[in-house]
Amino acid sequence: MVTQAEMDGEIAAIGAAYESAVSAGGAEETQPRLDYPPYRSSLLRHPTKDLHHADPEGVELWAPAFGHRDVGTLEADLTIQHGGEPIGERTVVTGRVLDGDGRPVRRQLVEIWQANAGGRYIHKRDQHPAAIDPNFTGVGRCLTDDDGTYRFTTIKPGPYPWKNHRNAWRPAHIHFSMFGTEFTQRMVTQMYFPGDPLFALDPIYQSIVDPRARERLVATYDHDITQHEWATGYRWDIVLTGAHRTLMEPEEEHA
Amino acid sequence: MSRAPGDLTPTAGQTVGPFFHYALPYPGDSELVPPGRADAVRLHGVVRDGAGDPVPDALLEIWQADPSGAIAQEPGSLRRDGFTFTGWGRAATDATGHYSFSTVTPGATGPGQAPFVAVTVFARGLLNRLFTRAYLPGDLDGDTLLASVAEDRRHTLVAVADEQGYRFDIRLQGEGETVFLRHPRH
């Protein structure tokens, strides 16, 4: 198992190669690399062939619909799912889901999951010996509103160790799953908290080799969201990959 | 500031990680129609990595038309009532890398379009989701996408008929690597 210092060297070498490629006129990268050796689990799980260009067709131009039959309003509050108050910093995370043209993604499903304040997931594979909180599961869902806004009340998750390399720790994060107005916009990502000292050390975060693209995953502390004597507040907006349907089939009326 | 005002660059994806099982799967997730129904078919397969080993912590989602080719816009995928066809489902792989959906055979969504099931793949170790298509076996000569794929890889996009429906294996890397798709504006 390599040390963190050796891991830092691997990450820095890839980052420096990227920066010099951009300086030489190369394209900026906005997504993570699928082939990113510092994240060891990716070694055998990334495609080696180029992704094949496909113009979206048929169902790909539409997204599944979700509604209040699917998601109860209480599911957006992760702090009220058990008999008592969970341990940790109560926090509100809110923002808008937009498509690539800046239009709000309305009434669409957002799912989140996360570790508790001590960095422990309610998952049988998580053997990190931090306490399980009987008042916190760490799973939430909501629908965006007509403005594309989602809003969750939760507990700020803790960082946790993993086995990628020796003394590897993930920065605190919340997993987000989003749908758009087209299936091609489907995405899963992770939201981070500002100023995390583990950013530079984490190969999953650093797999997005462009620093500006990485920073878009970091929420902003917003005192206007913070609630008096109740919860801190963070804002995090999400932009999905561009929509195609309105460009390709502007006149279509779908039954 | 995490995102400058007016910046519409798409948000980067990240891996689904190892701990999604208690969050994303739900009762009935993989049953677009009840398995016992007369027209129910199985769409299933195994997800394998670059060494040919099964991937026990992958998550697949499918999205498809109904047998007439209509695209559903009905809610209810998360709390299925057994009657409403929503066209969307989700299945985690098991310890042997196997996934299985109960669904119906999709119809063509337009003239000259070959029927297919849109598939999204997530997994621990996979840093961003992958898109692919599972075409139904049959006459696929007129399909634009398949025609644009090298002949020796085309089969990775076509399901194989079996006793209960269709088998669609996914190879993330290596021999027989599945053709994964990049859509414009990605």
Side-chain angles (χ1 to χ4, degrees):
Chain A
M1 220 179 230
V2 304
T3 63
Q4 182 68 56
E6 290 167 307
M7 177 57 54
D8 292 348
E10 292 184 35
I11 290 171
I14 294 170
Y18 170 71
E19 290 294 349
S20 59
V22 170
S23 305
E28 287 190 15
E29 298 181 22
T30 60
Q31 295 291 326
R33 291 198 178 170
L34 296 171
D35 179 6
Y36 192 73
Y39 177 32
R40 298 294 192 248
S41 303
S42 75
L43 288 172
L44 289 170
R45 293 185 171 192
H46 70 271
T48 54
K49 308 263 195 298
D50 288 340
L51 301 182
H52 189 87
H53 171 88
D55 288 320
E57 295 179 278
V59 284
E60 288 165 340
L61 292 165
W62 298 87
F66 298 92
H68 290 301
R69 199 179 118 199
D70 295 291
V71 184
T73 51
L74 297 181
E75 292 183 69
D77 190 340
L78 288 74
T79 68
I80 58 167
Q81 296 173 350
H82 300 276
E85 293 291 345
I87 291 167
E89 176 184 331
R90 188 185 298 108
T91 191
V92 170
V93 178
T94 184
R96 295 174 77 207
V97 183
L98 303 174
D99 73 12
D101 298 313
R103 291 174 298 211
V105 176
R106 297 187 168 99
R107 303 193 175 281
Q108 191 49 292
L109 177 65
V110 179
E111 298 165 282
I112 65 168
W113 70 103
Q114 62 167 90
N116 69 22
R120 180 81 187 258
Y121 284 89
I122 305 260
H123 190 291
K124 60 184 184 299
R125 277 182 60 164
D126 187 358
Q127 296 300 313
H128 174 40
I132 285 173
D133 183 343
N135 290 317
F136 191 74
T137 303
V139 178
R141 291 174 182 157
C142 76
L143 295 174
T144 56
D145 68 13
D146 281 342
D147 193 35
T149 298
Y150 70 88
R151 182 184 179 93
F152 291 102
T153 302
T154 186
I155 294 293
K156 196 171 178 182
Y160 58 84
W162 60 311
K163 299 184 191 311
N164 188 69
H165 54 277
R166 183 162 166 73
N167 203 14
W169 287 77
R170 292 295 331 277
H173 60 274
I174 299 177
H175 295 268
F176 270 74
S177 161
M178 267 82 56
F179 291 78
T181 53
E182 298 177 15
F183 200 63
T184 61
Q185 296 174 301
R186 181 80 180 92
M187 80 163 318
V188 164
T189 189
Q190 301 179 23
M191 186 213 87
Y192 299 89
F193 292 87
D196 196 312
L198 295 166
F199 283 155
L201 314 183
D202 177 44
I204 292 181
Y205 181 70
Q206 297 288 334
S207 71
I208 306 159
V209 296
D210 187 287
R212 292 158 294 278
R214 285 198 295 272
E215 284 160 17
R216 293 188 188 101
L217 294 186
V218 182
T220 304
Y221 174 76
D222 187 336
H223 203 67
D224 290 334
I225 298 168
T226 293
Q227 294 176 13
H228 178 67
E229 296 188 0
W230 185 247
T232 56
Y234 288 86
R235 174 170 298 282
W236 185 56
D237 294 331
I238 299 146
V239 178
L240 304 180
T241 51
H244 307 87
R245 189 172 73 233
T246 49
L247 301 176
M248 298 175 68
E249 302 177 30
E251 303 303 323
E252 183 173 353
E253 283 294 321
H254 193 76
Chain B
M1 176 153 262
S2 59
R3 176 181 286 277
D7 175 10
L8 291 175
T9 309
T11 304
Q14 290 267 265
T15 181
V16 74
F19 300 133
F20 60 82
H21 293 90
Y22 77 102
L24 296 180
Y26 59 91
D29 56 1
S30 64
E31 297 180 357
L32 286 76
V33 299
R37 215 169 84 171
D39 61 347
V41 296
R42 187 184 202 196
L43 174 66
H44 71 126
V46 172
V47 181
R48 293 184 187 279
D49 69 12
D53 292 327
V55 176
D57 40 19
L59 184 78
L60 270 70
E61 291 178 353
I62 62 169
W63 170 233
Q64 63 163 88
D66 77 5
S68 76
I71 299 167
Q73 288 291 280
E74 292 289 330
S77 296
L78 298 183
R79 301 191 203 281
R80 299 198 192 274
D81 62 13
F83 296 94
T84 307
F85 183 73
T86 66
W88 181 81
R90 175 181 277 170
T93 55
D94 66 16
T96 65
H98 184 254
Y99 73 90
S100 179
F101 291 95
S102 170
T103 186
V104 288
T105 301
T109 54
Q113 290 193 335
F116 67 84
V117 174
V119 179
T120 317
V121 184
F122 305 92
R124 178 180 69 85
L126 181 58
L127 278 157
N128 209 352
R129 80 275 175 273
L130 294 171
F131 294 106
T132 188
R133 293 181 184 177
Y135 283 90
L136 303 182
D139 178 12
L140 298 167
D141 286 348
D143 187 80
T144 312
L145 174 70
L146 287 175
S148 73
V149 173
E151 195 170 356
D152 64 333
R153 299 191 67 207
R154 215 172 281 165
H155 68 95
T156 70
L157 294 170
V158 184
V160 177
D162 69 8
E163 310 84 68
Q164 295 154 313
Y166 305 101
R167 181 167 179 116
F168 184 68
D169 291 329
I170 290 175
R171 183 74 185 249
L172 294 176
Q173 184 188 90
E175 191 184 334
E177 185 175 303
T178 300
V179 172
F180 296 105
L181 307 178
R182 180 195 302 279
H183 298 294
R185 307 189 72 189
H186 273 194

